[in-house]
Amino acid sequence: GEDVEQSLFLSVREGDSSVINCTYTDSSSTYLYWYKQEPGAGLQLLTYIFSNMDMKQDQRLTVLLNKKDKHLSLRIADTQTGDSAIYFCAGTGGFKTIFGAGTRLFVKA
Amino acid sequence: GAGVSQSPSNKVTEKGKDVELRCDPISGHTALYWYRQSLGQGLEFLIYFQGNSAPDKSGLPSDRFSAERTGGSVSTLTIQRTQQEDSAVYLCASSFERSSYNEQFFGPGTRLTVL
């Protein structure tokens, strides 16, 4: 089955770019997602990428997909303190979405 | 419109007691998921309901855990004889599955503390 791995912590300064990385095992995942969880709240879909795409950009967010290495990344440009949250990478293998452990992003003012 | 709601938001119980956690999904969503999020851990899949199909219970950690979904809408997760290791945030999500694209909408969670 699908396994999704990501680093647990990332600390950046306000205004810098953040890059959160994720690796997955199931090459049949047709969609890969990034979810954001703010303190005390559930997860919310941030962005997604279809597996036949290499890159997707949405305002400050850039998603890069390397299918050969099964590597997904999320870049946040001009990181703000409001971006402090846990970011989950997820892949859909069939109906089941498998989530990574989440990367906690700390943004220092 | 209304999102996914869960109740209670917090539950403190004594070891050995049974607890029931409730999830109200978004109206019209056919799929409903339960996850557990322990401190410092990722999301642990527990159970999945899709329409009238038999639920996927492959993530339930023990037979003390069970869930039902009545009328294809509200779901209840029951934990019997709670243990301290059951302490976690229990998240519910729902989705309207059309194809392999599956955005899940999450509730705020129920924080369970077992003393």
Side-chain angles (χ1 to χ4, degrees):
Chain A
E2 175 77 284
D3 189 25
V4 178
E5 294 188 357
Q6 50 185 132
S7 54
L8 295 182
F9 299 99
L10 176 65
S11 179
V12 299
R13 292 194 180 277
E14 189 175 21
D16 288 350
S17 292
S18 307
V19 180
I20 303 171
N21 295 300
C22 168
T23 57
Y24 59 97
T25 57
D26 188 349
S27 58
S28 68
S29 290
T30 49
Y31 287 92
L32 294 139
Y33 310 85
W34 285 103
Y35 282 79
K36 178 182 180 182
Q37 184 182 32
E38 297 188 351
L43 282 69
Q44 187 169 17
L45 183 67
L46 195 59
T47 187
Y48 69 93
I49 189 167
F50 188 52
S51 60
N52 70 352
M53 299 169 65
D54 297 321
M55 185 181 85
K56 179 179 180 181
Q57 187 148 5
D58 183 4
Q59 300 181 333
R60 292 190 298 120
L61 305 178
T62 302
V63 179
L64 294 177
L65 175 60
N66 181 330
K67 289 182 286 293
K68 174 177 171 291
D69 295 336
K70 297 179 187 173
H71 182 266
L72 183 73
S73 68
L74 173 69
R75 178 178 181 270
I76 305 173
D78 187 23
T79 311
Q80 302 298 306
T81 54
D83 295 325
S84 293
I86 303 175
Y87 292 81
F88 291 88
C89 169
T92 301
F95 67 83
K96 189 181 290 186
T97 301
I98 305 298
F99 289 84
T103 299
R104 186 177 293 271
L105 175 64
F106 296 94
V107 182
K108 296 175 284 189
Chain B
V4 177
S5 62
Q6 294 186 243
S7 60
S9 55
N10 281 284
K11 176 72 176 177
V12 180
T13 190
E14 293 179 348
K15 179 181 171 181
K17 301 278 190 182
D18 297 352
V19 295
E20 284 190 353
L21 312 180
R22 178 187 167 106
C23 172
D24 283 88
I26 292 173
S27 177
H29 277 190
T30 55
L32 186 147
Y33 308 77
W34 282 99
Y35 297 91
R36 179 167 69 176
Q37 185 177 25
S38 303
L39 187 63
Q41 302 294 315
L43 285 182
E44 178 186 5
F45 165 78
L46 298 177
I47 189 168
Y48 160 73
F49 295 91
Q50 167 60 302
N52 295 321
S53 302
D56 177 353
K57 305 179 183 179
S58 60
L60 295 179
S62 77
D63 58 9
R64 296 186 295 106
F65 288 72
S66 63
E68 62 178 23
R69 187 179 185 191
T70 54
S73 181
V74 172
S75 177
T76 302
L77 176 69
T78 301
I79 309 173
Q80 296 178 307
R81 305 181 302 281
T82 51
Q83 304 294 311
Q84 288 182 333
E85 61 262 28
D86 299 334
S87 296
V89 175
Y90 289 82
L91 292 167
C92 173
S94 70
S95 71
F96 182 56
E97 293 178 350
R98 286 175 283 237
S99 60
S100 51
Y101 176 74
N102 179 18
E103 178 181 359
Q104 295 185 26
F105 294 81
F106 283 78
T110 294
R111 182 176 296 277
L112 175 65
T113 303
V114 182
L115 302 177

